[in-house]
Amino acid sequence: MEEIDRAIVAALTVDGRLSYTDLAERVGLSVSAVHQRVRRLEQRGVISGYTARVSYEALELPLTAFVAIRPFDPSQPDDAPERLAHLAEIDSCYSVAGEDFYLLLVRVASPADLERLLQEIRTAANVTTRTTVVLSTPYENRPPGLSAPKPPDPPDLAS
Amino acid sequence: MEEIDRAIVAALTVDGRLSYTDLAERVGLSVSAVHQRVRRLEQRGVISGYTARVSYEALELPLTAFVAIRPFDPSQPDDAPERLAHLAEIDSCYSVAGEDFYLLLVRVASPADLERLLQEIRTAANVTTRTTVVLSTPYENRPPGLSAPKPPDPPDLAS
DNA sequence: TCTGAAAATGAGACGAT
DNA sequence: ATCGTCTCATTTTCAGA
């Protein structure tokens, strides 16, 4: 991806509601050109959408935790993500290499809610859990590092 | 927080670029009233900003990993988050309870880049690392527990 | 706090270079 | 691929209930 597109994505990652006017003068193009590039970035899936950044403290969900899970019976089919998808407290679900099968990021209102959630996870997916409580979050969901352009492709020898 | 505000936050979490017109008819208020509520939510920090959702695959950062770190020398002052903040590959930094001190979420282009990053982390913060590679991400950064109305339509690819 | 309407701004489309 | 202009939707402000 080229430099201007990287700059556009970087800017929209910091402020997803930037106007095309502002965006245009930041990257040094006309409004129309920027508008077109953004549309292409959206079509190609580089930008998959826009969302509001929320404060979980303000939303009364001050307790964050990681929950590592592994099947109680490893011979059973592994469909934990689908079985857990209905639990709104689960923010993210990662399939991981290592001792555990999945790593969940969960957000709840209180230790009591965490306890309830863990019980639901265990029964819904038939798994054991190992939970790591988050004490604080120095930073989270930072914009991706877009500064490093890609080295040029080697010359095409097929001609 | 009251019901209408929750609905507004939920809707903006799914689509951060919803117009006030759409927002208004979803929650059953006038455009002005919704606009005013959004402004107050932003002022109170419930909504801390807006960002574009990006595809890390499309950004050529297909490799995600969790890096648990703990100090090489526990008697040293613990300022790992600041020492690591300049590393753009680090998406998030959580201070956690348990055996480790911090849990980092990192995104890189390749195993070689992961290796380089781990070396940088170890030397920059004087820590040992334990890395868990993410194989796939069934879901990530879901809207916080509020009744989710409707996912936004996918972009029209028929062009 | 909500409403409705006016004024300012931005989005989205078009044809031209 | 970019540009400038056009039209229409949206944002934003304001007085009033």
Side-chain angles (χ1 to χ4, degrees):
Chain A
M1 202 173 55
E2 49 194 48
E3 174 144 6
I4 294 184
D5 282 338
R6 303 193 94 92
I8 290 174
V9 172
L12 286 178
T13 306
V14 174
D15 182 357
R17 278 191 162 181
L18 264 186
S19 71
Y20 293 113
T21 309
D22 289 346
L23 214 44
E25 65 186 33
R26 289 200 195 194
V27 304
L29 282 184
S30 74
V31 174
S32 315
V34 170
H35 188 271
Q36 194 170 324
R37 289 175 100 109
V38 171
R39 268 181 38 90
R40 280 184 49 197
L41 287 168
E42 291 169 350
Q43 281 184 330
R44 286 175 35 202
V46 179
I47 296 174
S48 60
Y50 301 88
T51 124
R53 221 182 295 123
V54 300
S55 158
Y56 295 98
E57 286 76 19
L59 279 181
E60 301 161 14
L61 295 171
L63 180 48
T64 298
F66 286 96
V67 180
I69 69 178
R70 69 183 80 171
F72 191 79
D73 176 1
S75 71
Q76 292 283 88
D78 176 13
D79 53 354
E82 303 94 76
R83 287 176 172 275
L84 298 174
H86 71 282
L87 295 171
E89 296 90 341
I90 301 180
D91 177 284
S92 305
C93 172
Y94 301 93
S95 169
V96 294
E99 303 171 28
D100 299 302
F101 279 46
Y102 295 95
L103 195 56
L104 309 176
L105 175 56
V106 307
R107 315 219 186 239
V108 294
S110 65
D113 281 350
L114 180 57
E115 182 177 28
R116 265 193 295 275
L117 176 62
L118 290 174
Q119 291 169 354
E120 290 186 273
I121 289 173
R122 287 192 278 257
T123 62
N126 199 35
V127 293
T128 63
T129 63
R130 191 168 45 85
T131 300
T132 301
V133 170
V134 171
L135 303 171
S136 73
T137 304
Y139 34 89
E140 190 173 26
N141 282 114
R142 300 201 302 177
L146 300 164
S147 47
K150 195 179 80 172
D153 290 321
D156 183 8
L157 302 179
S159 68
Chain B
M1 202 173 56
E2 49 192 50
E3 172 143 9
I4 294 183
D5 282 338
R6 300 196 94 93
I8 290 174
V9 172
L12 286 178
T13 305
V14 174
D15 181 358
R17 279 190 162 182
L18 263 186
S19 72
Y20 293 114
T21 309
D22 289 347
L23 216 43
E25 64 186 32
R26 289 199 197 193
V27 304
L29 283 183
S30 71
V31 174
S32 316
V34 169
H35 185 258
Q36 199 169 321
R37 279 173 178 261
V38 171
R39 267 181 38 89
R40 281 184 49 198
L41 288 168
E42 291 170 349
Q43 281 184 328
R44 287 175 32 198
V46 179
I47 295 174
S48 59
Y50 301 88
T51 109
R53 222 182 294 123
V54 300
S55 158
Y56 294 99
E57 286 77 17
L59 279 180
E60 300 162 16
L61 294 172
L63 179 49
T64 299
F66 286 95
V67 181
I69 68 178
R70 69 185 80 170
F72 191 79
D73 176 1
S75 71
Q76 293 282 89
D78 176 13
D79 53 355
E82 303 94 77
R83 286 176 173 276
L84 298 175
H86 70 283
L87 296 171
E89 295 92 342
I90 301 180
D91 177 285
S92 304
C93 172
Y94 301 93
S95 169
V96 293
E99 302 171 29
D100 300 299
F101 280 45
Y102 296 95
L103 194 56
L104 309 176
L105 175 57
V106 307
R107 314 216 188 241
V108 294
S110 65
D113 281 350
L114 180 57
E115 181 177 29
R116 266 193 294 274
L117 176 62
L118 290 173
Q119 291 170 354
E120 290 186 272
I121 289 173
R122 288 192 277 255
T123 62
N126 199 33
V127 293
T128 63
T129 63
R130 191 167 46 85
T131 300
T132 302
V133 170
V134 172
L135 303 173
S136 73
T137 303
Y139 34 87
E140 189 172 26
N141 283 114
R142 300 202 302 177
L146 311 153
S147 57
K150 195 183 77 171
D153 290 323
D156 184 10
L157 301 180
S159 75

